[in-house]
Amino acid sequence: MAASTDVKVLYDHEGIFIHTNTEGNEDQDSLTSGCLRVIDKDGEIFVEYKPLEDDLASMLCAGKDSSSVVEWSQPDRALQPLDRQHSSETEWDMLNAVYFRKKPMINGETMSSPAITGASNHLPTRNRRAFSFSLNDLLSIKVKKEGWSYLIPCLKDDSTLPELHFHQGGSEAFLDCLRRFVILTESAFDKSCLQVSHPNKALSQSFENLLDDTTFGLVQKFRKDPYTTTLGGFSKVTNYLFDAFKGAEVEQQERPAEEVADILSEVIPGLEINQQEEPGFEVITRIDLGLRPEVERGEPVWVEDWAKHMDSEGRMKTIQHLKQKIFKGGLCHAVRKEAWKFLLGYFPWDSTHKERESLQRTKTDEYFRMKLQWKSVSEEQEKRNSRLRDNRSLIEKDVNRTDRTNTFYEGPDNPGLIMLHDILMTYCMYDFDLGYVQGMSDLLSPILYVMESEVDAFWCFVSFMDQMHQNFEEQMQGMKTQLIQLSTLLRLLDLAFWNYLEAQDSGYLFCFRWLLILFKRELSFQDVQRLWEVMWTGLPCQNFHLLMCCAILDSEKQTIMERSYGFNEILKHINELSMKLNIEEILGKAEAICLQLKCCKDLPASVAEILGFNTDAESSQMEASDPGGQGSPEPVTGADGVETDSSSSSNQHLLEAAQDVYKLAYIS
């Protein structure tokens, strides 16, 4: 007996016509009406077109109606009037109003061919106008207009399929569905042609493997079998990410020695390469970074301290001094609700009490208008909005497992969970392009816990996501860049340890979760709040979180190297650090590393670029954050007055060169 196939219908639209008469005599006999579907078959995406008579025959033969393909079910509930939007608690009854259940298709004939090598070879004998093909075989799509839109798919084997005429609309919805799995870009030579490129799915799959079971039951699994639990999830992520970062375009060939030397000497910090006349021999020397200074952490900013930095009208003063105190010691919890709004940019530092009250009223109206957009979508509308269904499904899945051990979110039908859900759904209305990506609930949870207000939490979350946006984009360029920069920093700080990790082909992927959600799963809930508020000050340099990674690895390098850990053991060891890290020690060591690098006279330009030492951006930012020049003292870092090189290359040049060097690590 053949194994059952898991088939999901992602797009289904009837009334798509094929014009069989190319001379323009479009009588009824020259038009073939059919159904166009996008189908997920065991993880592979297919596009299928079937003339209407094929669908009818399939249903009659199967003895079922169209619900054998897609079945909708609705819970019994009385219709209720839409009340004024005050808070999510009064609207929870609208949640889960629609449940979408997809069932495998009965008719397997059109799915029998996983790819189409020639349009004529794969048409069912019953009707030669039916066809299906794998999305992996799609090369381009031509978009034409003739009073209506019609699409012409072209496959990689140069075969062209029949024109699909959307007489009743629906072409944009079809293309939007394809964009969930491929990248459609307008051809430079033909604006009517959309070129199809296939992004690597490794990084999106890594979300599931990194985050899926962490919150629920992970501690219990570690207690029972820590080794199996860790490697079972992370080994998959490793394979995915290696494929993603290596890239199919990286050719396995040797670069000329001169080119390698130029790249390494320009971009890789901490190295000076002197090529000798003798072939194959070179001397690599390390830059003297000097002694790493001792630093001390301070006390948190208390309510009285915060009040001293506010004038009678509510404007904040001596802002840079205040930020320095927050960086050194964080905030007491009583101050966080107000201070985070300033740190995240929701409240301007120079705003008065009245201006902030007016801003909150405006933002409240704006929030609930966006919330009403998804709240007022009817069940029938949601049936035709796959993106909204997908976002809702993923949000409900993540919300039900986010920080459930915290009293603010524990228990069924918890108001905190309701607000968490509603904010994330509303964010999908705020940022249609990004929508919801797994991991975003982790970033929202501490903010909502502190704010205890749906509206304030939403706008603070928006500001936080502006900083983290690149981490969650489909191409995840932000994550790739950060891993490259982390390698650059670690190579300068500890060449021996860097060489050891390179020998394990780690790619620093064990730091992936650290960077993705800013240590949210590595620290206790209280420590996460302390870390984030420190980082939101923007002190003492940019990309301070990368120095945090360096500080943690510096503390663990002895264990890793002395025990000769391989890559799997490193993954296991790093994962077991979760909830065991001392946040104050890490912050102190990261600050000390920053001061050490800032005082280095021969600091490579690439490192200065990463940390923002060689631009005037820092001083400009300080002036902008202290309107009126109200006596902002210099941060007590002990590194002021160090001259920096302002003639460095652009960020784009750095990224391109760093990517080249990163690829070199994989050349055999």
Side-chain angles (χ1 to χ4, degrees), residues 340-342 344-348 359-360 363 455-456 459-460 463:
W340 279 21
K341 297 171 187 175
F342 288 94
L344 284 167
Y346 176 32
F347 285 171
L359 175 65
Q360 282 185 303
K363 290 297 186 181
V455 174
D456 290 342
W459 291 111
C460 288
S463 297

Side-chain angles (χ1 to χ4, degrees), residues 87-101:
S87 71
S88 59
E89 299 178 30
T90 61
E91 299 150 357
W92 188 237
D93 61 308
M94 296 185 67
L95 196 64
N96 290 328
V98 178
Y99 297 89
F100 181 57
R101 184 165 74 252

